[in-house]
């Protein structure tokens, strides 16, 4: 078990990807978190409890403690993944009839950041109770990673095909953003912007960090994928000196690197450019921000 003393609770529900939750544990430990697994009682059938206890060095918890048992350490952050239709709906309604839901019931009131990453099919996701639950939780400040660029519902009976691509890393990246515990780029040192389901979300977060001028540089370059634009021309278009352009590009790329991604903007021969495979991610993120 590694750890900085900051405790991440990973709440695992009874859905297909639950058996792979050890992947999230590994990534979180690489980022310096001490991980506490909490399983819903139904999820116990989906996970390898002894393997997870060995990996985390802590008991997997699924029931409320006895009043005489010592209090476990408080969570600094909580990820619910995979989050079921059942647990999401109950969390939104304030039901606390499992230990997992009891933790979630208090978390927003205690100011503990919560990221919920669902795994549901489109039949469940289309239901009014589910859509309302997502909205209610977001209104309370819970980060529900559901929708384009995040987890998207699969057709009924197709869940098994989606287990391997379940984006565990995305939940952790969002927790890293919220808590300031840096996402460890070493875990994914050369991530390409066109090959990760969380790239658009991260590009949006990254671009939001920057002021108007760097954003206009990204808009100009992503509108002409692969076309090199020299610093003077780029600067004239955004009211900046070539030095300011260079500095803005350098800061954008430092953030990309901190997320474990290759640079967004590269310099080749005549000037700056955004690779065609990256440009559409940038353009999508800019459009998302402008909406
Ligand atoms: C093999 C299997 C796979 C399941 N997959 C899902 C799923 O992907 N998403 C979901 O919301 N429920 C799924 N369910 C149903 C949940 O397990 C069920 O709603 C359960 O009550 C959820 O309990 P929990 O939310 O306390 O973990 C699955 C059930 C089984 C037996």
């Amino acid at each position: 078990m590694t750890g900085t003393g900051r405790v991440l609770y990973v709440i695992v529900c009874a859905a297909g990807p639950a058996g792979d939750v050890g992947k999230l544990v590994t990534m979180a430990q690489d980022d310096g978190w001490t991980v506490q697994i909490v399983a819903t009682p139904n999820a116990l059938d989906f996970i390898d409890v002894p393997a997870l206890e060995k990996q985390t060095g802590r008991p997997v918890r699924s029931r409320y403690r006895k009043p005489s048992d010592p209090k476990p350490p408080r969570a600094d952050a909580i990820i619910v993944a995979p989050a079921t239709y059942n647990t999401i709906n109950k969390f939104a309604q304030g039901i606390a009839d499992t230990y997992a839901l009891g933790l979630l019931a208090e978390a927003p009131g205690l100011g503990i950041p919560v990221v919920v990453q669902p795994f549901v099919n489109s039949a469940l996701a289309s239901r009014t109770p589910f859509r309302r639950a997502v909205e209610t939780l977001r209104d309370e400040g819970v980060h529900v990673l559901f929708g384009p660029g995040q987890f998207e519902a699969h057709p009924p009976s197709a869940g098994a095909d989606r287990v391997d691509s379940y984006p565990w890393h995305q939940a952790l990246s969002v927790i890293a953003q919220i808590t300031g515990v840096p996402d460890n780029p070493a875990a994914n040192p050369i991530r390409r912007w066109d090959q990760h389901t969380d790239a658009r979300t991260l590009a949006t977060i990254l671009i939001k960090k920057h002021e108007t001028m760097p954003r206009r540089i990204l808009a100009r370059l992503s509108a002409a994928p692969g076309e090199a634009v020299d610093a003077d021309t780029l600067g004239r278009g955004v009211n900046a000196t070539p030095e300011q352009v260079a500095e803005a590009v350098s800061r954008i790329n430092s953030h990309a690197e901190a997320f474990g991604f290759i640079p967004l903007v590269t310099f080749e021969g005549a000037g700056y450019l955004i690779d065609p495979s990256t440009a559409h991610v940038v353009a999508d993120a800019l459009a998302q921000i402008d909406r």
Side-chain angles (χ1 to χ4, degrees):
M1 180 179 68
T2 54
T4 56
R6 301 199 73 183
V7 181
L8 175 68
Y9 274 47
V10 172
I11 294 182
V12 54
C13 306
D20 288 337
V21 71
K23 291 182 184 172
L24 177 60
V25 174
T26 302
M27 287 187 263
Q29 289 176 334
D30 283 347
D31 285 359
W33 290 100
T34 294
V35 180
Q36 170 66 56
I37 297 279
V38 174
T40 64
N42 289 321
L44 290 174
D45 289 339
F46 288 66
I47 60 176
D48 184 341
V49 172
L52 288 169
E53 292 189 333
K54 190 166 173 222
Q55 192 179 6
T56 61
R58 309 176 72 85
V60 169
R61 303 206 51 213
S62 60
R63 303 196 180 280
Y64 282 102
R65 70 189 164 101
K66 291 188 186 135
S68 54
D69 286 347
K71 235 180 156 178
R74 190 175 134 168
D76 292 296
I78 300 176
I79 291 177
V80 191
T84 48
Y85 173 82
N86 178 56
T87 288
I88 291 169
N89 289 338
K90 291 208 284 189
F91 178 19
Q93 287 177 33
I95 295 168
D97 63 354
T98 62
Y99 176 57
L101 282 164
L103 291 168
L104 291 171
E106 278 192 336
L110 290 171
I112 300 171
V114 180
V115 169
V116 173
Q117 189 161 57
F119 190 81
V120 291
N121 66 34
S122 52
L124 296 172
S126 67
R127 294 288 316 285
T128 304
F130 180 81
R131 287 189 283 113
R132 284 206 185 122
V134 171
E135 213 173 294
T136 303
L137 291 172
R138 285 179 175 159
D139 285 348
E140 289 201 84
V142 174
H143 300 261
V144 186
L145 307 185
F146 181 72
Q150 302 182 327
F151 175 81
E152 292 187 64
H154 43 266
S157 305
D161 302 335
R162 305 296 167 92
V163 165
D164 287 344
S165 58
Y166 186 63
W168 297 103
H169 190 272
Q170 190 168 38
L172 201 56
S173 294
V174 174
I175 279 289
Q177 284 306 302
I178 302 164
T179 60
V181 175
D183 196 9
N184 181 4
N188 282 284
I190 48 164
R191 306 173 76 207
R192 288 176 54 90
W193 290 95
D194 57 333
Q195 287 176 356
H196 289 270
T197 47
D198 53 346
R200 200 179 74 161
T201 306
L202 291 177
T204 307
I205 293 169
L206 185 154
I207 293 167
K208 276 186 180 164
K209 284 179 183 291
H210 294 275
E211 324 256 318
T212 312
M213 188 270 280
R215 284 189 201 181
R216 286 174 62 202
I217 292 175
L218 292 174
R220 165 73 178 80
L221 295 176
S222 62
E227 182 193 303
V229 183
D230 67 82
D232 284 327
T233 310
L234 204 48
R236 271 196 302 279
V238 298
N239 261 339
T241 63
E243 291 73 27
Q244 287 169 326
V245 169
E247 213 251 328
V249 168
S250 160
R251 277 193 294 122
I252 290 166
N253 284 339
S254 303
H255 281 127
E257 190 188 339
F259 287 158
F261 279 91
I262 60 172
L264 265 180
V265 180
T266 51
F267 188 80
E268 278 172 31
Y272 296 101
L273 63 89
I274 299 183
D275 186 80
S277 64
T278 304
H280 72 275
V281 179
V282 174
D284 281 358
L286 285 164
Q288 171 107 340
I289 290 168
D290 286 343
R291 262 206 293 275

